[in-house]
Amino acid sequence: MASRSYGACVLCQRAVVVRMMCRGMSMAAHPLSKVDILKQEPHRKHPGVTNLKTLRLPDELHMAAQSIIHRAQVPRLTDRTCSLTNFLWSRKRATEDSTLRKKALSMEKELWEKAMEKREVIDEEALEDRIRKKVLSELRRTTYHWKPMKYDEELGVVYMAARLAGGYAAVRRAINEIKKRDPSFAPQSLLDFGSGLGTVVWASHSCWGDTLKEMVCVDSSGPMNILAERLLRGDDENAEPHIKHVYFRQFLPVSPKVQFDLVTSAFTLSELFTAKDREEAVLTLWRKTNSYLVLVENGTKEGHQMLMEARDTLLKKQEKTVHDTRPPSVFAPCPHELTCPKLTSESITPCNFQQMYHPLPLPGHSEQKIEKFSYLIVTRTEAVEAETEGVNWARLIAPVQRRSRHVHCRMCCPDGQLQHMVVTAKKHSRDVYRCARTSDWGDQLPVIQRVDDDVQSDSE
């Protein structure tokens, strides 16, 4: 009996050793399970979470906007608000002259070839005139007719009713990325290009409060600057502004040596006429950036493509005179500096994100709305990460689909590829699984070692 029990004990010990070895192999296959990715935070607040709950306008801004709208008595305000919102969302970039010329030459060549195929005796001069008229007519019909937005006092109020809350929500969500991942950053100066209603000032003040000692708002529209100042004063010209040290300008500061800790431009690149204008504006803003440059646009194909053009300009263009030699690096949302995989896929879709918010209480407005936007944050500072050393993070580019004991995550990864990953506790560790389950669109997730049966290309 003793020998049997001894043999049983040996077998048990061997089984334990085998199980431990298997566990060790499993740990080696999923190295993240050995790493503290939580930074002593609960799973729902892991370092990659940057999403915000449903946002409200600051009380002072909300009350000032309502007062201005009430006093303005704009006719058909609700209808005009909807029309302007739809117009701004569907807005495209102006067609470049070079693109128009190329298109015209292609159409002209095709029409000439068709005429020659008929082999009829023709009057070449009359045919040339007819082809020219047809090409011009087709270009007028198919080309997007871009016009600059010109705001007077009344249209400014319509814009405020349409876009104040949504614009604030997008900017607040974008700069929250900096607040969360670089908690030591406390900007003292801000430059906002295309400041409009001053939503960037309000969003920045909500993040960093009174650490901001100088905020310069640049907008070429005089009526818009006046409206933004009215909002700061609570629609009372004799009152002190709720946020101090805000200065309004119609032109950017001239000196290239003057820099600001935080430089922003929200929904403004789309208001510039040509690609060259946008490139020059982005380079100018970068010269004035001391720490972070934040660009925000509509979450459309146009908005995303303009931001990717700006990204390429900053990463690839070399300026003749460089006053600050610190190189640019992409802070968010891209987890890499390679070509955007969204632009190289067969079906081009924008890389966008969303933020829930409460709109101004106007007739026809729901209690909650969703703002879809695209953004880009570029930094001069060395990467200050809340992320765990040795762990790469991917960006969730679609809503997380939660199922029983597994989670579907579609991510843009540090290797520049889009991946559809099925995350489980068994394969990827309990911590990674719970982080994935509590994350959402726009958050970051630790990169998980690929396993053949749980990784699919995003095109599937």
Side-chain angles (χ1 to χ4, degrees):
M1 293 289 292
S3 61
R4 285 183 182 178
S5 63
Y6 174 76
C9 288
V10 170
L11 289 173
C12 288
Q13 288 176 353
R14 286 178 179 175
V16 169
V17 169
V18 170
R19 283 199 298 270
M20 290 178 67
M21 289 177 65
C22 289
R23 285 177 183 172
M25 291 171 66
S26 176
M27 296 287 272
H30 303 290
L32 287 181
S33 56
K34 280 187 174 180
V35 180
D36 177 19
I37 61 173
L38 294 174
K39 288 287 187 178
Q40 299 179 341
E41 292 284 353
H43 294 91
R44 68 180 185 280
K45 294 183 180 179
H46 70 81
V49 172
T50 54
N51 265 301
L52 294 169
K53 294 180 180 179
T54 305
L55 287 172
R56 294 181 183 274
L57 289 174
D59 291 340
E60 297 85 358
L61 178 58
H62 184 270
M63 292 174 64
Q66 281 192 294
S67 174
I68 292 172
I69 290 170
H70 178 72
R71 290 172 61 177
Q73 295 294 312
V74 176
R76 300 186 304 103
L77 179 61
T78 302
D79 293 340
R80 293 176 67 181
T81 295
C82 292
S83 297
L84 182 60
T85 300
N86 293 335
F87 171 76
L88 293 174
W89 179 257
S90 61
R91 202 159 191 224
K92 293 180 172 59
R93 289 165 289 180
T95 307
E96 299 286 329
D97 288 343
S98 58
T99 304
L100 277 176
R101 282 195 295 271
K102 188 183 294 185
K103 189 175 179 180
L105 288 172
S106 176
M107 291 171 60
E108 188 175 343
K109 181 181 178 183
E110 184 179 347
L111 290 171
W112 269 105
E113 287 175 352
K114 286 182 179 179
M116 293 299 102
E117 285 176 2
K118 294 180 180 180
R119 297 180 180 179
E120 299 174 357
V121 178
I122 53 175
D123 181 348
E124 286 195 10
E125 188 174 337
L127 177 61
E128 184 178 354
D129 187 56
R130 192 164 70 247
I131 286 176
R132 186 185 300 111
K133 287 180 180 178
K134 191 167 184 178
V135 168
L136 288 173
S137 175
E138 188 66 15
L139 286 177
R140 288 194 195 97
R141 189 181 67 83
T142 58
T143 303
Y144 179 77
H145 299 288
W146 188 92
K147 290 182 180 179
M149 292 293 296
K150 294 183 179 180
Y151 292 96
D152 55 17
E153 185 177 350
E154 185 172 277
L155 186 57
V157 173
V158 175
Y159 180 82
M160 181 177 66
R163 296 293 304 135
L164 179 65
Y168 173 86
V171 172
R172 182 73 176 78
R173 165 63 183 81
I175 62 175
N176 185 60
E177 185 99 11
I178 304 173
K179 178 76 172 176
K180 175 71 183 284
R181 291 171 54 193
D182 188 359
S184 64
F185 179 62
Q188 294 190 353
S189 56
L190 163 72
L191 172 66
D192 183 20
F193 176 64
S195 54
L197 300 168
T199 49
V200 169
V201 165
W202 289 90
S204 301
H205 186 265
S206 296
C207 267
W208 292 289
D210 294 330
T211 64
L212 286 159
K213 303 300 182 186
E214 180 189 18
M215 289 173 272
V216 178
C217 296
V218 178
D219 199 297
S220 59
S221 172
M224 202 61 99
N225 287 334
I226 293 170
L227 189 55
E229 192 162 13
R230 284 178 66 187
L231 287 169
L232 283 174
R233 295 180 182 274
D235 196 27
D236 182 354
E237 60 182 12
N238 297 317
E240 287 291 317
H242 175 69
I243 303 173
K244 297 180 180 179
H245 313 299
V246 181
Y247 309 97
F248 293 93
R249 303 284 186 271
Q250 287 188 289
F251 304 99
L252 283 166
V254 176
S255 174
K257 296 182 180 180
V258 175
Q259 287 189 318
F260 299 80
D261 295 333
L262 180 65
V263 177
T264 61
S265 180
F267 309 103
T268 304
L269 294 180
S270 54
E271 297 300 323
L272 301 179
F273 185 58
T274 66
K276 185 172 178 58
D277 292 337
R278 292 190 290 274
E279 180 180 297
E280 289 177 354
V282 168
L283 290 173
T284 300
L285 294 177
W286 179 243
R287 283 194 292 270
K288 299 192 175 300
T289 301
N290 183 44
S291 295
Y292 288 99
L293 171 62
V294 181
L295 305 175
V296 181
E297 289 294 332
N298 284 332
T300 59
K301 285 184 182 180
E302 293 288 317
H304 173 228
Q305 288 173 359
M306 279 187 282
L307 291 179
M308 291 302 96
E309 288 173 3
R311 181 177 178 267
D312 287 345
T313 294
L314 294 174
L315 295 179
K316 298 176 182 178
K317 292 280 183 178
Q318 293 292 330
E319 294 190 85
K320 292 180 181 179
T321 305
V322 179
H323 296 281
D324 190 331
T325 57
R326 291 175 296 167
S329 61
V330 176
F331 183 79
C334 314
H336 57 81
E337 295 185 354
L338 303 169
T339 301
C340 176
K342 286 265 190 175
L343 296 180
T344 57
S345 59
E346 291 183 7
S347 56
I348 296 177
T349 56
C351 183
N352 57 21
F353 306 93
Q354 65 179 24
Q355 176 61 50
M356 296 286 291
Y357 70 96
H358 294 282
L360 290 171
L362 297 174
H365 280 194
S366 57
E367 291 186 4
Q368 289 187 357
K369 283 190 173 183
I370 297 175
E371 177 72 10
K372 277 194 176 180
F373 64 97
S374 297
Y375 72 108
L376 174 69
I377 303 178
V378 182
T379 180
R380 284 192 193 276
T381 61
E382 292 183 5
V384 180
E385 301 292 345
E387 301 157 334
T388 309
E389 185 178 354
V391 178
N392 292 320
W393 293 71
R395 180 76 58 174
L396 288 164
I397 57 170
V400 173
Q401 295 175 310
R402 300 168 183 86
R403 301 292 184 264
S404 176
R405 297 185 182 180
H406 67 279
V407 180
H408 290 266
C409 297
R410 288 171 172 81
M411 303 182 293
C412 184
C413 298
D415 62 0
Q417 299 296 315
L418 301 179
Q419 295 293 342
H420 173 196
M421 183 165 290
V422 182
V423 182
T424 66
K426 183 177 180 180
K427 291 181 180 177
H428 306 106
S429 87
R430 176 177 172 274
D431 282 341
V432 171
Y433 170 68
R434 291 191 64 184
C435 284
R437 199 164 188 89
T438 56
S439 299
D440 214 337
W441 187 1
D443 289 336
Q444 291 180 296
L445 273 184
V447 172
I448 304 154
Q449 186 170 340
R450 296 180 184 178
V451 181
D452 291 342
D453 60 354
D454 67 1
V455 178
Q456 306 169 24
S457 70
D458 195 55
S459 59
E460 292 180 1

